[in-house]
Amino acid sequence: MPIIDLHCDTIGCLYNKNDAGLSQNNLQIDVDKLIKGKYMLQCFAMFVDSKKAEPFKTCIEMIDLFYEQIAKNKDLKVCYTFNDIIKNANDQKISALLTVEEGEVIEGNLSYLKTLHRLGVRMICLSWNYKNQLGYPNINLNQENIDHFTPNVEDGLTKFGIEVVKMMNNLNMIIDVSHLSDRGFWDVINTSTKPIVASHSNCRSICKHVRNLTDEMIIALNKNGGIMGMNYCNEFLDNDPQIGRRTIECLIKHIKYIKKLVGVDVITLGSDFDGINNNIELKDASLLTKLVDALYANGFTKEEIDKITYKNALRVFQEVLI
């Protein structure tokens, strides 16, 4: 069955002087791997380190590279709306959805947000691992002692961050809360009028890393109609990173837990490929059929697996990307 993946950092790797292109490379995602993995859609994040100079300019350069790479590959086609995704699938093309990771790229300017939308960006992860003009993350790399296990429950969205959420709703852009502080998550839930996503976050009850969502967050996300993409990073899959390398076993454990908590309608995939170590069982996109086989082997029905692999994501895209 087709695969939709809400998050990868492949374009950033190519931008940072990887000699290969998107057709074939030694990264976790290329076109050949997407075809072997039976992908319907890949979200390509433009990740910008906001501590480097001119984040908006850097983001624009990465978007330019994204379009250059898509133009060179007949099997990929950019999508902007839900209808584009369906048409691409009917034409046997893999859809490429343009996203941004790090809200600081708009540099506090709503005009920059509108510009990114005009350039095709359809989802933005509001924060990364620094405080920015939109709000606070759960992990702050500016701290002397970085804490991966104590969430930030005090600092959420700024006033400007609230404005950004409202404008993204108006622009039919998807709001991504992965990396955002716990307080920021609740600010988005209480502000957004449309379903939101946590594009690459797992379950904190199984792995206590603060990049994952609490049970209360998952329940709220499910009520919101939103989705969470299962992240393949070993550090987010198990409290013991060595066990976390057993990607499929760990993903099944998270998926079973979430199913018991709220059902499967909130579960999607968000690999974080090319932003994570490849020394894991599910090391690249070509292997996704193994995860599907494991879901069947663990008693999931075809209907449930279809929802997890692509239908839940399509439902959100249909509601927001209009």
Side-chain angles (χ1 to χ4, degrees):
M1 60 231 9
I3 298 293
I4 291 179
D5 182 348
L6 296 184
H7 187 85
C8 77
D9 290 309
T10 310
I11 298 299
C13 291
L14 298 177
Y15 178 80
N16 290 316
K17 309 306 180 187
N18 186 290
D19 292 334
L22 198 53
S23 298
Q24 286 184 320
N25 57 50
N26 61 356
L27 301 173
Q28 292 173 304
I29 284 181
D30 61 26
V31 175
D32 283 354
K33 296 183 185 81
L34 293 176
I35 292 171
K36 289 177 183 176
K38 300 184 179 179
Y39 277 63
M40 178 183 195
L41 182 150
Q42 177 64 56
C43 294
F44 287 93
M46 309 296 106
F47 165 65
V48 178
D49 187 336
S50 63
K51 293 304 175 184
K52 296 181 179 179
E54 301 179 291
F56 181 72
K57 175 178 178 292
T58 301
C59 187
I60 296 299
E61 291 173 353
M62 293 179 72
I63 290 172
D64 186 55
L65 175 62
F66 166 81
Y67 279 109
E68 284 182 356
Q69 289 296 319
I70 299 301
K72 293 177 181 178
N73 289 280
K74 63 180 178 59
D75 295 300
L76 294 181
K77 191 165 184 182
V78 179
C79 60
Y80 306 101
T81 66
F82 170 77
N83 289 338
D84 291 340
I85 298 168
I86 300 305
K87 183 178 186 304
N88 291 347
N90 290 337
D91 293 340
Q92 297 185 313
K93 305 289 186 183
I94 299 170
S95 287
L97 187 72
L98 178 58
T99 78
V100 166
E101 183 175 25
E102 175 53 272
E104 188 67 14
V105 299
I106 66 173
E107 298 182 8
N109 189 331
L110 291 175
S111 293
Y112 284 3
L113 175 61
K114 289 183 282 188
T115 298
L116 291 178
H117 178 263
R118 293 187 188 102
L119 290 174
V121 174
R122 291 297 180 265
M123 178 162 66
I124 296 180
C125 189
L126 299 182
S127 65
W128 188 57
N129 290 330
Y130 305 110
K131 175 188 179 299
N132 64 23
Q133 295 185 64
L134 283 67
Y136 292 76
N138 257 341
I139 297 172
N140 189 345
L141 296 184
N142 282 330
Q143 293 176 338
E144 185 175 346
N145 297 310
I146 299 171
D147 185 351
H148 292 167
F149 304 106
T150 305
N152 185 346
V153 298
E154 300 295 332
D155 306 307
L157 294 183
T158 63
K159 182 180 178 181
F160 179 69
I162 296 290
E163 290 183 65
V164 168
V165 168
K166 291 178 178 179
M167 180 167 283
M168 288 180 68
N169 280 165
N170 291 337
L171 291 171
N172 300 317
M173 299 175 79
I174 298 169
I175 298 154
D176 182 0
V177 296
S178 282
H179 288 285
L180 198 61
S181 70
D182 281 24
R183 173 64 183 273
F185 171 91
W186 292 110
D187 286 343
V188 173
I189 282 287
N190 292 326
T191 303
S192 179
T193 59
K194 296 183 179 180
I196 66 171
V197 310
S199 67
H200 52 306
S201 296
N202 296 331
C203 179
R204 205 180 296 173
S205 286
I206 293 177
C207 178
K208 62 183 180 181
H209 199 292
V210 291
R211 280 281 286 100
N212 294 334
L213 304 183
T214 66
D215 288 3
E216 293 77 17
M217 289 176 174
I218 295 170
I219 292 167
L221 187 64
N222 186 57
K223 289 180 179 178
N224 165 266
I227 47 178
M228 57 189 293
M230 299 292 95
N231 190 320
Y232 307 167
C233 177
N234 61 308
E235 294 182 0
F236 306 149
L237 283 171
D238 195 274
N239 293 321
D240 181 343
Q242 292 303 316
I243 294 175
R245 296 188 189 281
R246 302 203 292 260
T247 322
I248 293 175
E249 172 189 332
C250 291
L251 284 170
I252 296 293
K253 186 176 181 180
H254 282 260
I255 291 169
K256 283 183 173 179
Y257 183 91
I258 297 166
K259 176 185 174 181
K260 185 176 181 181
L261 182 68
V262 295
V264 301
D265 288 352
V266 75
I267 309 169
T268 53
L269 303 176
S271 66
D272 208 3
F273 276 149
D274 293 317
I276 61 175
N277 195 310
N278 65 2
N279 186 20
I280 56 176
E281 179 186 15
L282 204 58
K283 65 180 182 179
D284 65 48
S286 70
L287 302 175
L288 263 292
T289 54
K290 291 188 175 183
L291 176 59
V292 173
D293 291 343
L295 287 166
Y296 276 118
N298 279 271
F300 287 85
T301 66
K302 183 180 186 301
E303 180 183 5
E304 290 172 331
I305 296 170
D306 282 347
K307 285 184 175 184
I308 292 166
T309 56
Y310 77 105
K311 284 189 174 179
N312 288 338
L314 281 183
R315 170 177 51 78
V316 172
F317 295 157
Q318 184 173 18
E319 184 162 350
V320 184
L321 300 183
I322 56 178

